[in-house]
Amino acid sequence: MKLILKIWRQASPKDEGGFQTYHLDDASQDMTFLELLDALNEKLIVEDQDPVAFEHDCREGICGSCAMMINGRPHGPGEETTTCQLNMKAFRDGDTIIVEPWRARAFPVIKDLVVDRSAFEKIMEAGGFVDVDVSAVPDANTYPVARRDAEEAFDAAECIGCGACVAACKNSSAMLFVAGKVSQYALLPQGQMEGLQRAWNMVAKMDELGFGSCTNTGACEAECPKGVSLAHIARLNRQFLKAGFKKVGEEKN
Amino acid sequence: MSISGIFLILFLIVHLTVNSMIVFDDSGALFNQAAHFMATDPIIGVIEPILAIGLIVHFLFASIITFKNQRKRDVNYAGLGRYKKLDAAAGSNWPSRNMYILGGLILIFLVIHLINFFWKMKFTGDPLLHTPTGLEGDVENAYNLVTTKFIEWKWLVGIYVVGALALGLHLYHGVWSAFQTLGWSNRKWRDIWNVIGLIITILFAGGFAFIPLFVMIQSMV
Ligand code: SF4
Ligand code: FES
């Protein structure tokens, strides 16, 4: 299968960057999208050119590192798939594929398709943890959790921190990510200690780091490879408002 | 945003109810009485400035949020729009992404609307208002003013239809969005709000567009 790839090349954060066109004549429909990029890079290396920088690790949809915009969609076409899970069967012979990095002020480009997502780490540091000791696996049923809550918390915990929600959002808001991280603790007994403060601190951090505010368009949910639901954002809003009323803001430490 | 929005929806319900009297009573008596009540009742007199404040708050917050959010992405995607159905925006509906534009249309409509009717009834007056209503007391003939304008100026009817459509689309996203922002939503309620939003959309877009159309068409047949 012959493909035309238009890929964003940017040598460094300061570099202006621009699209480069590559022709790949021996692509196979059995490849994944990352394998396609591997094939391209092998070719570039043989030709003594700089290979395309992109992030990848697990290649099975659980680490969240393979972040890129493919034809205007985070992680490309297909529902609930990451780029590494994206099969080349989604494309046809002769297609032109545009590949770009996430675009958000809070995610500056480092090189080519790699963006700096450390802003997510900083949000986690602001509240994405529990203060109780959970080192050993507790005995079953020590903490009774309703099945519905367990399911809902698990749904939220599925977030792999890929940043597709930010990339898809016209406001570059990280609400779905934050909502997932808040919800996964909010419904479980282990998360009760920090309670509302978690929601408050993480949202405050998100604002501080230059993410936009949520206007409920739902683009994040549609593009999230893990199907994290907007219902978690409603829960986050609930907790945030309650925290505001009770004035449980950030404790300066 | 959400609270001022819900407040404005409550106003719209009252407004549509009063206006629908134009359709239900050809003599205009019902509408004139209602308009007279709205113009003279002291409680309405108190609510009116609150309504204006609500609208200003809604507009100011919208402007701040929109301009702040616009600055959160420096470079736009090249792949967007080129693959229409595929792009990220396809996951969200058009009104939800264009609330500020729809709001702007509504604002333009509102200015035209206020100049034509509210301003005349309240301040400058109009000879049409002083035609006999057949009602007791000093009741202005608001019915006559409204229907005459819609019959004389067909383009005005067009503006009203566009205004009603913009309002409907604005509310289609606005209703569910308001409750989501207040945290009053979950998987189940999201569907319920969406249905309520759709009903409000049809009711308001249809209702506000129907009244001028009805008046115009009635005069032609
Ligand atoms: S919420 Fe979804 S899209 Fe956002 S970071 Fe988590 S997995 Fe990625
Ligand atoms: S490489 Fe880990 S999710 Fe794609």
Side-chain angles (χ1 to χ4, degrees), chain B:
Chain B
M1 210 71 269
S2 47
I3 293 170
S4 56
I6 293 170
F7 174 66
L8 293 172
I9 292 177
L10 294 179
F11 155 74
L12 284 174
I13 295 174
V14 177
H15 197 36
L16 183 63
T17 314
V18 171
N19 288 10
S20 64
M21 293 173 185
I22 295 178
V23 174
F24 293 131
D25 179 10
D26 285 346
S27 76
L30 208 55
F31 178 68
N32 279 336
Q33 266 167 342
H36 183 69
F37 171 77
M38 296 306 266
T40 51
D41 188 75
I43 299 176
I44 302 289
V46 174
I47 294 176
E48 218 165 58
I50 301 178
L51 180 68
I53 293 170
L55 194 73
I56 292 168
V57 166
H58 198 67
F59 172 70
L60 284 182
F61 268 106
S63 303
I64 294 169
I65 290 172
T66 306
F67 290 115
K68 265 194 177 168
N69 280 345
Q70 268 179 357
R71 285 206 310 267
K72 306 295 182 189
R73 173 165 296 136
D74 301 324
V75 188
N76 238 326
Y77 293 110
L80 268 190
R82 216 170 285 201
Y83 294 85
K84 285 191 180 69
K85 260 166 88 186
L86 296 179
D87 67 38
S92 56
N93 59 48
W94 187 87
S96 76
R97 280 176 277 121
N98 295 282
M99 288 299 270
Y100 197 66
I101 293 173
L102 289 168
L105 281 178
I106 296 168
L107 191 65
I108 294 171
F109 165 78
L110 193 67
V111 171
I112 299 173
H113 178 57
L114 289 180
I115 290 174
N116 269 319
F117 299 127
F118 178 80
W119 204 253
K120 287 183 183 149
M121 290 180 203
K122 193 109 182 163
F123 304 112
T124 56
D126 193 284
L128 288 169
L129 286 171
H130 303 299
T131 46
T133 56
L135 291 170
E136 291 204 9
D138 187 19
V139 178
E140 290 187 320
N141 202 341
Y143 179 82
N144 196 9
L145 173 68
V146 173
T147 51
T148 310
K149 288 288 176 251
F150 283 147
I151 294 166
E152 269 179 12
W153 297 340
K154 302 254 182 311
W155 54 267
L156 192 64
V157 176
I159 289 178
Y160 272 72
V161 172
V162 174
L165 276 177
L167 178 68
L169 291 174
H170 195 77
L171 290 170
Y172 178 66
H173 176 67
V175 172
W176 114 267
S177 181
F179 290 102
Q180 167 83 358
T181 299
L182 294 174
W184 198 9
S185 182
N186 55 26
R187 285 168 205 267
K188 191 172 111 211
W189 273 91
R190 177 183 184 178
D191 294 336
I192 298 174
W193 289 130
N194 272 326
V195 171
I196 294 176
L198 187 66
I199 294 171
I200 290 185
T201 298
I202 295 171
L203 207 67
F204 283 174
F208 283 122
F210 179 72
I211 295 166
L213 280 173
F214 175 82
V215 172
M216 183 182 79
I217 292 169
Q218 200 187 31
S219 74
M220 295 195 300
V221 291

Side-chain angles (χ1 to χ4, degrees), chain A residues 81-188:
Chain A
T81 42
T82 53
T83 304
C84 57
Q85 295 171 307
L86 176 62
N87 203 279
M88 288 310 292
K89 288 194 178 70
F91 300 94
R92 257 178 248 120
D93 189 39
D95 275 1
T96 303
I97 307 174
I98 301 177
V99 193
E100 317 163 68
W102 285 171
R103 298 292 191 194
R105 185 163 273 196
F107 287 162
V109 175
I110 297 174
K111 186 171 195 276
D112 299 340
L113 303 175
V114 181
V115 298
D116 179 1
R117 281 176 295 163
S118 56
F120 269 10
E121 315 275 324
K122 292 188 189 123
I123 293 177
M124 289 305 275
E125 282 165 20
F129 50 79
V130 288
D131 285 320
V132 287
D133 185 8
V134 288
S135 49
V137 180
D139 287 338
N141 300 328
T142 315
Y143 306 110
V145 178
R147 185 185 158 81
R148 206 182 49 190
D149 292 341
E151 294 272 345
E152 190 74 357
F154 190 77
D155 181 85
E158 272 198 75
C159 167
I160 52 175
C162 64
C165 42
V166 178
C169 176
K170 78 177 182 62
N171 311 320
S172 302
S173 173
M175 276 296 262
L176 195 63
F177 168 77
V178 174
K181 298 305 173 196
V182 165
S183 272
Q184 73 184 15
Y185 298 118
L187 293 161
L188 302 178

Side-chain angles (χ1 to χ4, degrees), chain A residues 8-18 50 53 109-112:
Chain A
W8 183 263
R9 301 304 308 264
Q10 183 173 340
S12 69
K14 293 249 151 28
D15 183 33
E16 214 179 272
D50 191 24
V109 175
I110 297 174
K111 186 171 195 276
D112 299 340

Side-chain angles (χ1 to χ4, degrees), chain A residues 34 56-66 82-84 160:
Chain A
L34 291 190
H56 58 101
D57 187 16
C58 71
R59 299 212 178 201
E60 55 177 352
I62 53 170
C63 75
S65 58
C66 54
T82 53
T83 304
C84 57
I160 52 175

